[in-house]
Amino acid sequence: MTIISRPYILMWTIVGLFLTIGANFLPAYITSSPWQWSTGVTVYPLDFRCQVGAVLLVSCLGGRTTGVLTQFIYLLLGLLGLKVFSDGGGIEYLQKPNFGYLLAFIPGAWVCGQLAFKKSASQLEYLGLSCLCGLVTIHLFGIVYLILFQLVNWHQLGEFKLLEWAIAYSVRPFISQLLLACAAALIAFVTRRIMFY
């Protein structure tokens, strides 16, 4: 396990906070295949934000402490009323079913950061695996929150919406977020080589 200094953690926490907030307002896109670029580059929207990629990237670069601290500060800022979440901010955000996915950034960042700083983590495949494990953790915790949300609000909702929410928040975006996880692993690999760690 690599030991990370406090100034390093502080630096990546600040960078990570700006990345997480900024990525929330940055839609994700994918381009056409490179062999089709002779006729021009076509860009396709992926219908979600780059925020999950930022969470995984910061955790790969700064480690588990940086990842957790960054996401905790991000959630705190949003719950205190700053408009850093996709639908604004404020304490009422706790009453939304998708808040569990934001809350899941904390364990997802911890898992990704923990795995990214193992001894063999300088290999691209291992960074990719750490991003995949972080992404799966985010979705597992998000689904658990959806289940709890459904149980607590059963009388107010009046119907079973768990499957609908799971499809909307986990199934549909998973493949696109998997692409972001791969991009985060690649960027982290190159950045770690440049920074000699």
Side-chain angles (χ1 to χ4, degrees):
M1 180 64 90
T2 306
I3 304 296
I4 303 172
S5 69
R6 287 186 182 157
Y8 185 83
I9 290 172
L10 180 63
M11 178 197 72
W12 279 115
T13 300
I14 293 169
V15 169
L17 188 58
F18 282 110
L19 275 176
T20 304
I21 292 171
N24 183 42
F25 301 105
L26 178 67
Y29 293 94
I30 192 167
T31 65
S32 56
S33 304
W35 50 86
Q36 296 173 333
W37 288 355
S38 61
T39 59
V41 178
T42 307
V43 179
Y44 304 100
L46 293 177
D47 195 31
F48 67 92
R49 308 292 178 184
C50 295
Q51 193 172 26
V52 170
V55 171
L56 299 173
L57 177 62
V58 168
S59 300
C60 280
L61 292 174
R64 66 177 186 226
T65 306
T66 299
V68 168
L69 190 58
T70 299
Q71 299 318 310
F72 178 77
I73 294 169
Y74 170 71
L75 287 174
L76 186 63
L77 291 175
L79 290 174
L80 288 176
L82 293 177
K83 303 206 181 300
V84 295
F85 298 149
S86 59
D87 293 332
I91 199 74
E92 63 275 359
Y93 222 88
L94 291 169
Q95 299 174 358
K96 296 187 178 210
N98 61 343
F99 179 73
Y101 290 89
L102 293 175
L103 197 59
F105 285 171
I106 293 173
W110 188 90
V111 168
C112 183
Q114 174 73 17
L115 294 175
F117 277 84
K118 294 282 185 188
K119 286 186 179 181
S120 62
S122 60
Q123 298 172 354
L124 180 59
E125 306 86 32
Y126 204 80
L127 287 173
L129 178 64
S130 68
C131 285
L132 175 64
C133 290
L135 179 62
V136 168
T137 302
I138 289 169
H139 283 280
L140 288 177
F141 274 80
I143 289 171
V144 168
Y145 189 89
L146 288 178
I147 293 168
L148 294 174
F149 189 85
Q150 176 75 52
L151 291 174
V152 169
N153 297 302
W154 181 262
H155 296 292
Q156 292 175 346
L157 296 172
E159 60 182 321
F160 185 76
K161 293 189 172 189
L162 182 61
L163 186 60
E164 176 186 330
W165 288 334
I167 290 171
Y169 300 130
S170 277
V171 175
R172 262 193 264 150
F174 188 79
I175 296 298
S176 301
Q177 290 175 349
L178 191 58
L179 293 174
L180 279 179
C182 292
L186 182 61
I187 293 169
F189 176 74
V190 171
T191 305
R192 286 171 71 148
R193 293 288 174 162
I194 291 171
M195 297 180 75
F196 302 110
Y197 73 95

